[in-house]
Amino acid sequence: MKDSRVEKLADNIINYAVALKPGDKILIEVNGLQIPLAQALVRYAYQAGGVPFLTINNHTLQREILKGISHEQAQAMADWDLARMKEMQAYVGIRAGENASEFADVPADKMRIYQSYYLKPVHSEQRVPHTRWVVMRYPNASMAQSANMSIEAFEDFYFNVCNLDYEKMSIAMDPLKKLMDRTDKVRIVGPGTDLSFSIKGMKAIKCDGHLNIPDGEVYTAPVRDSVTGRIAYNTQAVYQGFTYDSIVLEFKDGKIVKATANDTERIKEVFDTDEGARYVGEFSLGFNPFILTPMKDTLFDEKIDGSFHFTPGSCYDDCYNGNKSAIHWDLVSIQRPEYGGGEIYFDDMLIRKDGRFVVSELEGLNPENLK
């Protein structure tokens, strides 16, 4: 029997998120075996007049490839997959591997090869700017465990989050976008954090269910060399299969000049990936009312109500600050009182305190107004 929640999600993805048109080619890429959603996506793609293509990946098998990957091999893989990606008008990536740490023991130099010679040309440079795309998770036992929930409870949570009324949220985002578009100076204050930067001239982008599901953020980018100060992130972050904790970054003239974490040497290697890895490509405010606690999954954690993320690495083309890198690492801090609180100022005006918007035109983004 079909799950009505899956059907609604697939319908929203095809007809709202990527707005598939007759004749459009869409690549559905599944990491794991989330067959019900993939089936529904194929059905709705056909109903919309689209042409669906399907790829199924397995992280355990991919790990074996990555352990011995060479520059030449990664480039050959990229050539083949890039040719296909260039044919696509839309893309849905379902990320549902059974083990978030599957790549933890892949050597760092091999992951850099994969990032630089495969992911960057295929996804960062082609898929992101040239397709209508959605990247999402799908509930499984591993995700439920990360969220400290039963599978049934996590499924209920997941569908509440992903089947949110994103059109309503989109309207509520408009005042924040307008405010960010005219803002110059940003200051973020919180436990261990006093960070300042400019977003003058940087376009603000609404994330309202068209690119990521779940969604719920408005992002921009700092002027590349303007970041100064210190930030202490208060959520864990998984990168290349390793879980980082207690991340603290110090900036001067836009550049990370000091980085510490539970594995300081390892995080330094991440920021040594290339020159752009030590600069910031994104600043964003998160406000999905159903996501309250971190679960070491970026697609959820970056949308946490009362959070912001400050992202070392590449910027997006639609908010271009000149920084390019093989990495784009969304590191999240939560400013609700139970996480220590904090304030965000735009041009010396307090706009959010302890995770709640305090400017009248932004109050539509507080959780009671979005559910």
Side-chain angles (χ1 to χ4, degrees):
M1 187 173 70
K2 296 176 183 177
D3 187 329
S4 62
R5 301 174 302 178
V6 173
E7 296 296 307
K8 180 179 180 180
L9 180 57
D11 187 0
N12 286 341
I13 291 169
I14 295 298
N15 295 305
Y16 172 74
V18 302
L20 204 67
K21 302 180 182 70
D24 280 351
K25 296 176 184 175
I26 179 170
L27 175 60
I28 300 164
E29 190 170 54
V30 184
N31 288 287
L33 288 175
Q34 308 312 316
I35 292 174
L37 180 57
Q39 284 178 306
L41 287 169
V42 170
R43 286 198 306 271
Y44 279 96
Y46 278 134
Q47 290 176 19
V51 183
F53 295 80
L54 184 65
T55 293
I56 297 176
N57 298 320
N58 178 282
H59 283 163
T60 302
L61 296 177
Q62 188 178 10
R63 171 178 168 273
E64 294 302 317
I65 294 291
L66 293 178
K67 284 162 61 178
I69 199 167
S70 65
H71 294 87
E72 294 77 14
Q73 182 181 3
Q75 286 176 326
M77 291 164 57
D79 289 344
W80 300 329
D81 287 352
L82 181 59
R84 180 177 62 170
M85 193 68 78
K86 287 181 177 180
E87 293 292 318
M88 300 297 148
Q89 286 74 52
Y91 170 92
V92 178
I94 305 172
R95 313 285 170 78
E98 294 298 325
N99 179 11
S101 300
E102 191 66 21
F103 298 155
D105 58 354
V106 175
D109 62 321
K110 299 299 185 182
M111 289 303 304
R112 279 196 293 271
I113 289 172
Y114 182 64
Q115 291 272 358
S116 299
Y117 293 94
Y118 179 82
L119 290 180
K120 185 178 179 182
V122 177
H123 289 272
S124 299
E125 296 178 347
Q126 180 60 37
R127 189 257 298 171
V128 170
H130 298 298
T131 70
R132 303 188 303 279
W133 57 270
V134 168
V135 173
M136 58 184 298
R137 300 291 189 261
Y138 192 79
N140 60 19
S142 175
M143 292 181 67
Q145 187 174 42
S146 294
N148 296 312
M149 295 182 186
S150 68
I151 294 174
E152 181 179 359
F154 184 78
E155 286 181 348
D156 290 340
F157 159 75
Y158 173 87
F159 286 109
N160 279 336
V161 168
C162 293
N163 287 331
L164 182 71
D165 186 345
Y166 286 112
E167 290 186 82
K168 175 183 176 182
M169 175 184 276
S170 181
I171 295 170
M173 290 177 175
D174 287 336
L176 178 58
K177 171 182 163 46
K178 291 177 182 177
L179 177 60
M180 292 173 76
D181 281 339
R182 65 175 186 264
T183 294
D184 178 1
K185 294 182 293 183
V186 176
R187 186 183 180 201
I188 303 174
V189 179
T193 296
D194 193 343
L195 191 71
S196 299
F197 53 94
S198 173
I199 57 172
K200 186 176 183 179
M202 297 290 114
K203 183 179 179 182
I205 309 295
K206 299 193 303 180
C207 295
D208 51 3
H210 285 287
L211 298 180
N212 290 337
I213 293 179
D215 223 338
E217 63 172 292
V218 176
Y219 74 84
T220 185
V223 174
R224 186 177 185 268
D225 299 329
S226 71
V227 185
T228 185
R230 183 179 191 269
I231 181 170
Y233 297 95
N234 60 10
T235 68
Q236 294 180 318
V238 177
Y239 189 77
Q240 296 177 348
F242 182 81
T243 298
Y244 293 88
D245 201 357
S246 305
I247 299 172
V248 178
L249 305 180
E250 295 182 16
F251 292 86
K252 182 179 179 181
D253 298 329
K255 185 177 182 179
I256 297 171
V257 293
K258 183 178 181 181
T260 60
N262 57 326
D263 190 332
T264 294
E265 292 307 311
R266 188 165 186 151
I267 203 169
K268 285 180 180 178
E269 287 186 0
V270 175
F271 296 131
D272 287 339
T273 298
D274 51 37
E275 180 185 3
R278 286 187 175 266
Y279 291 84
V280 174
E282 180 187 359
F283 161 62
S284 183
L285 299 177
F287 39 76
N288 189 304
F290 290 106
I291 310 178
L292 300 176
T293 57
M295 50 181 284
K296 297 194 297 184
D297 188 308
T298 300
L299 280 180
F300 284 79
D301 292 355
E302 68 179 1
K303 317 301 190 320
I304 289 173
D305 178 54
S307 73
F308 70 91
H309 52 276
F310 202 63
T311 305
S314 193
C315 65
Y316 289 116
D317 286 347
D318 54 7
C319 187
Y320 189 74
N321 73 347
N323 197 51
K324 284 298 180 182
S325 171
I327 79 165
H328 178 94
W329 193 9
D330 293 310
L331 298 175
V332 178
S333 274
I334 306 169
Q335 292 190 308
R336 301 199 315 273
E338 61 267 38
Y339 288 90
E343 298 87 42
I344 297 179
Y345 297 86
F346 286 177
D347 290 330
D348 299 321
M349 176 180 70
L350 180 65
I351 65 108
R352 197 167 75 170
K353 180 177 175 61
D354 295 342
R356 288 186 60 84
F357 292 98
V358 296
V359 179
S360 59
E361 61 264 32
L362 304 182
E363 290 179 351
L365 292 173
N366 286 328
E368 66 274 14
N369 297 318
L370 290 177
K371 290 184 177 179

